[in-house]
Amino acid sequence: MAGNIAEGSCPGRGGRWEDDAMPAACCKPEGSTGPNTKMECQKIINFGNQLLRRKNVDCTREDSRLSRCLNTFDLVALGVGSTLGAGVYVLAGAVAREDAGPAIVISFLIAALASVLAGLCYGEFGARVPKTGSAYLYSYVTVGELWAFITGWNLILSYVIGTSSVARAWSATFDEIIGQHIEDFCKKYMTMDAPGVLAKYPDIFAVVIIIILTGLLIFGVKESALVNKVFTCINILVLGFVMVSGFVKGSVKNWQLTEEDIYVTNHSIYRENQTQEEMLYGVGGFMPYGWKGVLSGAATCFYAFVGFDCIATTGEEVKNPQKAIPIGIVASLLICFVAYFGVSAALTLMMPYYQLDTNSPLPNAFKYVGWDGANYAVAVGSLCALSTSLLGSMFPMPRIIYAMAEDGLLFKFLAKVNEKRKTPVIATVTSGAVAAVMAFLFDLKDLVDLMSIGTLLAYSLVAACVLVLRYQPEQPNLAYQMARTTEETDNNESVSTSESQAGFLPEEEEKCSLKAILCPPNSDPSKFSGSVVNVSTFIIGFLIVGSCILTALEPSILIKAVWIIAAILVLVVSFIIWKQPESKTKLSFKVPLLPLLPVVSIFVNVYLMMQLDLGTWIRFAVWMLIGFIIYFTYGIWHSVEATYAASADAERNTDAGSDSCK
């Protein structure tokens, strides 16, 4: 039999073939899979690779199609203007009265700390990948194309809804100041009778505001930044006046109210049949609703710090992005915290928390202390705050669209840049037009929660990406890992060269064992340690998402046990990540306390996402369905990374063919 095989016979089939003529399938063992099955498996693998292909970004190149004209102060003003919107004039009153009382200052502190976690992660990526794209780009270089598209697609939705809703709020605020003449006119002559679908009347004034700001953004980023700085400075001055007024006219007694002060002295809010547990305004003192109220208020206040991520979209328009972006993000969050903390403290010092007006607390508070004239300053400040918030929503939207279009995931014409002004003109006009139509026709109250999903998803992915990328081995071909400040590059040129050369040396294959996982033999990251971190991050994400879903569906004693088990497992897996060697890539900014801070950030963001109602998730699913249709019919086939991969494959095939012919 062995001799027959050597001569070209087919064992068990009785025939003989010449060696050159023998079919490849002839000598396969019976019952083995055929070539069709292998081809199908290979197609599935290739398709999976397409979805997870990562973007290579050359951060050593300074050239950009956009204008590099922004400095650190511009970024701080952009972040503060975008984050410190009209919410500072309204939110403090509602949270203090219904959730936290005077302890709202602690709620803002907790919310600020949670926001800083996400801000630090954005700061590290701003230093690592100083290009346009924000969380979309950060996901693309770390976890792959599909996740990047999901992130970018949801950021677009967040910015569109944010722009439209803020424009309507600007229009309503201005109309209220002049006596609601615009609303009365539109209701009389332009009523739209479609409750639940369209707004009560078309908001023409909101459309005009969006058109003006769209023109400003097309005109130039430097001019837009200048306007933003002017409005932001006015807003900060007004808030400073509010804080000083509160501390001058306020009284610490309003932080030391007793139950008798609230329920007996003020008979209007006392109920004869009301038990102590049912008391509407808590038990008085600094923390009338207890820690539960403080944490509930913190969850609401967290959204007040959303907006700083617009800084991360300016990577190609900043003069020194590796330093300016991290400083801009952290500084803007710090300024916003001081403003929220000061205004909420002043408000609760000026008048008792249970008497605050939830819709217009500041005018009500100034009236209470006899300073009615201060309401004009509050009106000016609120309009300036809305203007900067609107600009902060409109500024990043065309840049996300531009980045996705330039990568081929959205239609290529959206990536066109005005050669004179160096702005993404088509993306700006398109995004402005969509936002204007939505502001004109729709009542956006039911859609505002969709903003939260997009933003929180982006925060979670950026935190996970920082966790993954910090523990990956050096890859000299991926230039985004070589992003350093100019000074560090000059000083360490010889070191980085030797390090990059070491990256090309073949590694000894590590065997998977408990010792190799808990006590890695190398001080530098390896493929094995990088894989351990990838798997560990996936496990942490799965545990956090699963626990939050169970809590949202069934908050019972059993769930508490699940939480304890999940928390222990997360700590164990985090310890495993902590034992892995970190990358020694030098960056101008790095997130401290890894892996703790990114894990806590992921938890906070996912928990808040799971608190959103079912209707919001259904709308999110519809939006994602539209996005997947675009991606799988256009984006996946026109991706720039797909073109690069196809060129590399063709080159490899050519080399293999030439080698076989030798």
Side-chain angles (χ1 to χ4, degrees), residues 387-440:
S387 300
T388 58
S389 182
L390 182 57
L391 193 59
S393 293
M394 292 188 67
F395 185 87
M397 181 166 44
R399 281 148 184 83
I400 296 290
I401 295 173
Y402 161 78
M404 295 180 72
E406 193 171 46
D407 290 334
L409 302 189
L410 290 180
F411 307 110
K412 203 70 179 177
F413 71 90
L414 294 170
K416 183 176 179 180
V417 173
N418 185 301
E419 295 300 327
K420 184 179 180 182
R421 295 293 176 184
K422 301 288 185 182
T423 54
V425 58
I426 303 297
T428 304
V429 171
T430 303
S431 56
V434 173
V437 169
M438 290 190 70
F440 184 70

Side-chain angles (χ1 to χ4, degrees), residues 148-206:
F149 181 85
I150 292 172
T151 305
W153 188 244
N154 281 290
L155 283 176
I156 292 171
L157 177 67
S158 299
Y159 292 136
V160 167
I161 295 175
T163 299
S164 305
S165 57
V166 173
R168 288 189 73 94
W170 204 106
S171 174
T173 303
F174 180 78
D175 192 29
E176 188 174 347
I177 292 173
I178 64 173
Q180 295 189 326
H181 295 301
I182 298 175
E183 182 178 352
D184 294 340
F185 177 83
C186 291
K187 279 185 176 180
K188 185 175 181 181
Y189 297 104
M190 305 172 67
T191 303
M192 295 188 295
D193 189 15
V197 180
L198 301 177
K200 293 179 181 178
Y201 60 89
D203 198 333
I204 300 175
F205 201 68

Side-chain angles (χ1 to χ4, degrees), residues 66-262:
L66 305 178
S67 174
R68 286 194 184 275
C69 58
L70 301 179
N71 55 33
T72 305
F73 180 66
D74 292 326
L75 295 194
V76 173
L78 183 63
V80 171
S82 179
T83 306
L84 201 63
V88 70
Y89 294 91
V90 179
L91 186 65
V95 174
R97 176 171 173 148
E98 299 171 0
D99 292 311
I104 184 177
V105 292
I106 300 179
S107 295
F108 272 118
L109 176 61
I110 296 171
L113 291 174
S115 300
V116 165
L117 298 179
L120 292 174
C121 294
Y122 270 85
E124 175 166 330
F125 262 109
R128 192 182 285 273
V129 194
K131 297 288 183 180
T132 296
S134 185
Y136 155 74
L137 179 63
Y138 305 161
S139 303
Y140 208 163
V141 300
T142 309
V143 292
E145 187 171 285
L146 180 62
W147 282 108
F149 181 85
I150 292 172
T151 305
W153 188 244
N154 281 290
L155 283 176
I156 292 171
L157 177 67
S158 299
Y159 292 136
V160 167
I161 295 175
T163 299
S164 305
S165 57
V166 173
R168 288 189 73 94
W170 204 106
S171 174
T173 303
F174 180 78
D175 192 29
E176 188 174 347
I177 292 173
I178 64 173
Q180 295 189 326
H181 295 301
I182 298 175
E183 182 178 352
D184 294 340
F185 177 83
C186 291
K187 279 185 176 180
K188 185 175 181 181
Y189 297 104
M190 305 172 67
T191 303
M192 295 188 295
D193 189 15
V197 180
L198 301 177
K200 293 179 181 178
Y201 60 89
D203 198 333
I204 300 175
F205 201 68
V207 174
V208 172
I209 298 164
I210 292 175
I211 291 173
I212 292 172
L213 288 185
T214 300
L216 177 64
L217 289 171
I218 292 173
F219 190 73
V221 65
K222 194 171 184 179
E223 292 76 11
S224 304
L226 177 62
V227 172
N228 179 72
K229 280 187 286 190
V230 171
F231 283 130
T232 300
C233 289
I234 295 173
N235 186 24
I236 293 293
L237 288 174
V238 171
L239 293 178
F241 166 74
V242 169
M243 286 184 263
V244 172
S245 304
F247 296 134
V248 170
K249 298 293 291 184
S251 171
V252 181
K253 291 181 180 179
N254 288 324
W255 284 14
Q256 301 169 344
L257 298 171
T258 63
E259 290 182 53
E260 185 178 351
D261 294 329
I262 301 171

Side-chain angles (χ1 to χ4, degrees), residues 432-450:
V434 173
V437 169
M438 290 190 70
F440 184 70
L441 296 176
F442 298 108
D443 187 357
L444 300 164
K445 290 179 182 177
D446 294 333
L447 297 178
V448 169
D449 282 344
L450 273 177

